[in-house]
């Protein structure tokens, strides 16, 4: 019997274990013969998160799935989603940045509500993009209530950053009427959400799946052996596993970068508004930096956003001060190969700062916005940092150049110091090892996997835990 359980397929396991319950999402889907999921993402990072969730839902569900919604052409489309309009239409962040797009934003919101209502989903999942997501969930719930129909279960993946803003926790209470479950990616978010009336689960940070996917061939057998030993010794088996080691030598060879060249990874952002603001600043900073190194090459990472792609190709070709290589988004292996070849990274604040920790690449985080957005941040922010590693470790390990401090002169100075100071680099690398361990929901995984210490780590990845949570959510009768 033990062997049969170990080899049982996830779909069969889910079906047998939970078929007796009549109050879960999966049981309603089994009754209907399919699971209909309406899923929405408005960001490049959300496109990746959503696509992994979609794949995990297909893997775990005992019935066929149908997807509808809004997503990117890079990742979610590969899972079978035909986006009802381009994801870039709602990829806007900031108060003043949104104003020129407010009419189109409202049109797309109405279009999304109509599409979701017509689809009759069992589940609606919104990924990040809280401005669009919460309006969608609120108005969709109101539509079902007006029609006196039983509505879908609403999930929001990536909790809003309530911990960063004054009054943020209080605003969580306002989400309860239209958000049924929050899938949290940071420690302590679950507890705070629950204390404010929101059902929540810490599923782990999605960036960890880069390590699981890219290291899968060599790491999984080792992890599965170590798990049994660690269970006896009582040690944390994942202390040294959350890292992606790219092939820097291969990248240099393939792209003609000499072994003596200093490589700087430049990551200007994924939204057009931030890229158009940050890239010229970065270019001027690199211009000031080049005199300090005999051979300097920059690798510019281009987000899979057609507007960003067009802007960067048009701008960099004529105005970049040093030799450069453009790397298209959507290829994780190539991205981490570049990181391995790089000395440091210069990046706009965002998910990329977390990727640097997984790659153990020292970085400098920068940020500028419209003056009204910056004023709002100064007035409402309650934490002194903007990058997630600094926030969770409560220490300025990663240098930040924010707002008026984000000047070419300051960026060049900070980059030069980071590139020449080995102790600063080592400090970031050591902090990264501590930081990434905070992103893995060890207690949730133990509960999720039970006593099966030999199961594949992919089965307890953040997206698999999120999918499991969705399928077995209790539906209110």
């Amino acid at each position: 019997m033990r062997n049969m359980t170990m080899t049982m397929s996830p779909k069969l396991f889910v079906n047998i274990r939970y078929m007796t319950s009549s109050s879960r999402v999966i049981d309603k889907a089994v009754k209907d013969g399919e699971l209909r999921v309406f899923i929405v993402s408005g960001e490049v990072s959300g496109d990746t998160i959503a696509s992994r969730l979609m794949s995990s839902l297909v893997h775990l569900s005992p019935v066929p799935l149908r997807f509808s919604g809004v997503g990117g052409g890079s990742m979610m489309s590969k899972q079978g989603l035909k986006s009802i309009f381009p994801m870039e239409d709602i990829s806007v962040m900031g108060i003043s940045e949104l104003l020129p797009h407010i009419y189109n934003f409202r049109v797309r919101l109405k279009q999304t509500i109509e599409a979701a209502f017509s689809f009759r989903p069992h589940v609606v999942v919104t990924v990040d993009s809280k401005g669009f997501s919460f309006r969608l969930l609120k108005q969709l719930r109101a539509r079902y209530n007006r029609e006196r129909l039983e509505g879908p279960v609403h999930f929001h993946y990536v909790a809003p950053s309530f911990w960063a803003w004054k009054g943020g926790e209080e605003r969580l209470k306002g989400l309860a009427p239209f958000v049924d479950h929050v899938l949290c990616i940071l420690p302590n978010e679950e507890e705070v959400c629950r204390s404010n009336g929101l059902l929540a689960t810490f599923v782990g940070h999605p960036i960890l799946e880069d390590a699981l996917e890219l290291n899968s061939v060599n790491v999984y057998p080792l992890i599965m052996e170590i798990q049994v030993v660690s269970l006896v010794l009582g040690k944390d088996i994942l202390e040294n596993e959350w890292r992606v080691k790219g092939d820097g030598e291969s990248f240099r060879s393939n792209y003609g970068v000499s072994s003596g060249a200093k490589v700087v990874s430049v990551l200007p952002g994924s939204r057009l508004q931030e890229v158009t603001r940050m890239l010229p600043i970065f270019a001027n900073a690199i211009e000031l930096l080049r005199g300090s190194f005999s051979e300097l090459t920059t690798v510019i990472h281009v987000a899979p956003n057609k507007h960003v792609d067009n802007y960067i190709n048009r701008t960099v070709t004529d105005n970049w001060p040093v030799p450069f290589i453009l790397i298209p988004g959507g290829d994780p292996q190539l991205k981490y190969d570049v990181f391995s070849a790089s000395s440091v990274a210069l990046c706009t604040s965002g998910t990329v700062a977390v990727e640097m920790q997984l790659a153990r690449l020292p970085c400098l985080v920068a940020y500028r916005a419209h003056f009204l957005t910056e004023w709002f941040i100064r007035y409402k922010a309650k934490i002194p940092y903007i990058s997630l590693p600094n926030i969770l470790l409560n220490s300025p390990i990663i240098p930040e150049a924010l707002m008026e401090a984000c000047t070419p002169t300051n960026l060049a100075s900070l980059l030069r110091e980071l590139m020449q100071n080995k102790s600063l680099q080592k400090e970031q690398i050591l902090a990264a090892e501590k930081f990434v361990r905070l992103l893995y929901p060890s207690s949730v995984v133990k509960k999720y996997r039970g006593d099966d210490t030999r199961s594949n780590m992919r089965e307890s990845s953040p997206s698999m835990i999120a999918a499991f949570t969705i399928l077995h959510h209790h539906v209110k009768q």
Side-chain angles (χ1 to χ4, degrees), residues 43-45 91 268-272 274-275 303-305 308 348:
E43 305 288 347
V44 170
S45 59
S91 182
S270 60
R271 305 179 189 91
L272 181 61
E274 65 186 3
V275 173
N305 175 320
V308 168
T348 298

Side-chain angles (χ1 to χ4, degrees), residues 73-284:
S74 174
M75 300 297 292
M76 294 170 73
S77 63
K78 294 178 182 178
Q79 299 299 328
L81 180 72
K82 294 182 179 179
S83 185
I84 57 179
F85 55 78
M87 179 183 72
E88 291 84 359
D89 288 1
I90 57 173
S91 182
V92 182
M93 184 180 75
I95 301 170
S96 58
E97 289 86 349
L98 175 62
L99 292 177
H101 307 276
I102 193 70
Y103 175 76
N104 187 56
F105 186 88
R106 288 175 173 172
V107 169
R108 291 310 196 192
L109 177 61
K110 182 178 180 181
Q111 184 179 354
T112 308
I113 293 169
E114 291 300 323
F117 188 78
S118 299
F119 187 61
R120 290 294 191 268
H122 297 96
V123 168
V124 176
V125 183
T126 53
V127 182
D128 209 356
S129 305
K130 64 180 185 295
F132 188 88
S133 295
F134 292 152
R135 286 176 175 84
L136 167 64
L137 296 179
K138 185 176 183 178
Q139 294 184 34
L140 185 61
R141 178 62 51 85
R143 173 74 176 273
Y144 272 94
N145 288 341
R146 285 196 306 271
E147 302 279 349
R148 296 187 177 182
L149 296 172
E150 180 183 0
V153 183
H154 290 181
F155 292 86
H156 184 69
Y157 199 164
V158 183
S161 51
F162 54 82
W163 34 264
W165 307 101
K166 297 173 184 176
E169 290 188 24
E170 282 298 313
R171 287 195 289 275
L172 283 177
K173 295 183 175 70
L175 303 181
F178 54 88
V179 177
D180 299 310
H181 203 128
V182 180
L183 303 171
C184 305
I185 67 171
L186 298 178
N188 302 323
E189 287 182 334
E190 175 183 340
E191 180 182 354
V192 176
C193 283
R194 287 178 178 271
S195 68
N196 285 278
L198 279 172
L199 188 59
T201 301
F202 175 38
V203 300
H205 200 288
I207 202 66
L208 297 178
E209 302 203 36
D210 282 357
L212 292 177
E213 292 173 3
L214 296 177
N215 295 339
S216 60
V217 174
N218 296 320
V219 172
Y220 284 160
L222 176 62
I223 288 180
M224 285 163 36
E225 288 178 13
I226 292 176
Q227 283 176 321
V228 179
V229 176
S230 302
L231 189 66
V232 176
L233 297 179
K235 295 180 178 179
D236 183 356
I237 59 155
L238 296 173
E239 284 187 355
N240 299 308
E241 299 302 336
W242 297 122
R243 180 175 185 175
V244 178
K245 297 180 181 179
D247 190 343
E249 291 185 7
S250 174
F251 169 76
R252 285 177 180 268
S253 176
N254 292 338
Y255 286 84
V257 180
S258 71
S259 59
K262 288 285 187 179
V263 177
V264 177
S265 273
V266 176
L267 301 101
S270 60
R271 305 179 189 91
L272 181 61
Q273 292 86 353
E274 65 186 3
V275 173
T276 55
R277 192 178 302 276
M278 299 302 299
L279 195 61
I281 299 174
F282 287 177
N284 291 330

